Amino acid sequence: MDISATVQPWISQPFTVAISLVALTGTYVYYTSSRSLRSPPGPKALPVIGNIHQLPMEFQEKAFHEWGKVYGDVIYTKIFRKSMIVLNSLEAARDLMEKRSGNYSSRPTFVLMCELLGWDTLTLMPYGNRSRKMRKWIQDTFQKKEALASYHHVQLREVSRVLARLVVNPAEFSTHFTTFSASMLMEVTYGHRVTSDDDFFVRVADRAIEETAKGGGMGSRLVDFFPILKHYPMWLPGSNFRRKVAETRQLVQSMINAPYDMVKQRLESGAWPSMIGHLVEQHLHDGKISAEDEADIRGAGATIYSAGTETTATVMCIFILVMVRQPDIYTKLQAEMDKFVGFERLPDLEDRVSLPYLNAVIKELYRWQPPLPLGLPHMVSNNDEYRGYHIPGQAMLMSNIWAMSQDESFYPNPEEFNPERYLDPDTPSAKVELMNPENIVFGFGRRACPGKEFADTGIYLMVAHIVATMSIGKAKDANGQEITPPAEFDGGISRRPTPFKCVILPRSSKAVDLIRQLELAH
């Protein structure tokens, strides 16, 4: 007889009970201790509505910044029944979203954007296997040195086309910048070359993004806080919201599906070099692709376009606005360009290390008006403790990038556009790294923008070539008086300047010749 078989149950039973008691005790201690911790400070909330009545419809980052002066850099607030933590400092953002990224990398549920409008993109996706899969695809496309180097000719070609359009139609500079960023991303992602400002795929995508923004943006509609409203009957009064959502959803689906379908169709005739073309070929089995893989590939493509186009164009429009308002900065830029590059050629990537003032201007563009002042919301996956405060699981976490960009300990007189702040040789190296706005505007942790280097390179090339070839000045009114455009910006998710007038002209006939040579070379 096997004695162990008889004895084992009697040994294992009390052992199992003991382990269970330890686990339950640990859970109880953790739960009660976390509940005993107080929440971070914040404005007093009202029953049911929370703090929603204290938030403006636009420029909420400024309201959070003002709250920070009273409550500190970590603020607790409630939007209806939803807990929200606002981080107003780089230190807090790094402590949570980078050092504890495993708990702070998910996204809240966006009922309007995802369920109703159909934005099935990595940008809005909860953290998990699917998001890691799509992020790896995008990282392979936009972070490998070999891949980035292969895109330089595309970027330079699109730069040359913007310069040519500025010579012919400078008043439409905002449209040209949107086409510039859209063209680069469309070609790398789908292999489609945009040849006009009225390109079909660009037009569909722009309409989808524009109508989505009009719909209130992420998390700003009541349906995100009361999901039952998504079932509101179309025939009842007040259902205009549902009808508008249905119309916008068609645009969103066209944006996601049309370029993907174009790639698949062209693949039937042979290879189609692009990120999406490569992924489709990689996942084809017996001439078919699974529904799951197809949805992921579509979403990856839409992620790149929707996330990258608006931000790059916004930074370029801010550049023009600042140069019109502060011509002394533009004069210094051109003096540096003329000294290190000269008049016989146009700048290239290799010239960047020789243009410190231009690099400082780009940094200040990122800082002065961050293109996404509140970034994109994260979600806290599980209860946590930070600085003795209880951080509740499932809370929305907002990184107030604009407030970080206004930190006077790093940026004295932050309201001023001042590139010289990055050029002080006496600044300690540790502070130089901390005050680099590139560490803020591209996001944090596992949700940081995977296309950061591609976007930054495109902005550098565009700024450098405009400096080398164009004069920028103020427009004049009917009385011949110069018009200084106000520093006013849209109050939506992104921070593009409100439309303004200016004068953009070629610096010389030699500059026009160089632009033509660049076009022919690419």
Side-chain angles (χ1 to χ4, degrees), residues 400-422:
N400 192 349
I401 292 172
W402 187 82
M404 298 175 203
S405 77
Q406 302 298 300
D407 188 338
E408 294 190 11
S409 64
F410 292 133
Y411 316 109
N413 301 315
E415 70 283 352
E416 295 182 6
F417 188 96
N418 178 22
E420 276 81 2
R421 68 174 81 246
Y422 308 103

Side-chain angles (χ1 to χ4, degrees), residues 332-358:
K332 291 180 182 179
L333 280 171
Q334 291 193 318
E336 180 185 67
M337 183 67 65
D338 296 345
K339 178 179 178 180
F340 289 103
V341 177
F343 301 93
E344 299 303 317
R345 65 179 182 89
L346 293 178
D348 206 337
L349 285 174
E350 291 74 18
D351 295 308
R352 190 165 189 175
V353 295
S354 302
L355 301 169
Y357 191 73
L358 187 147

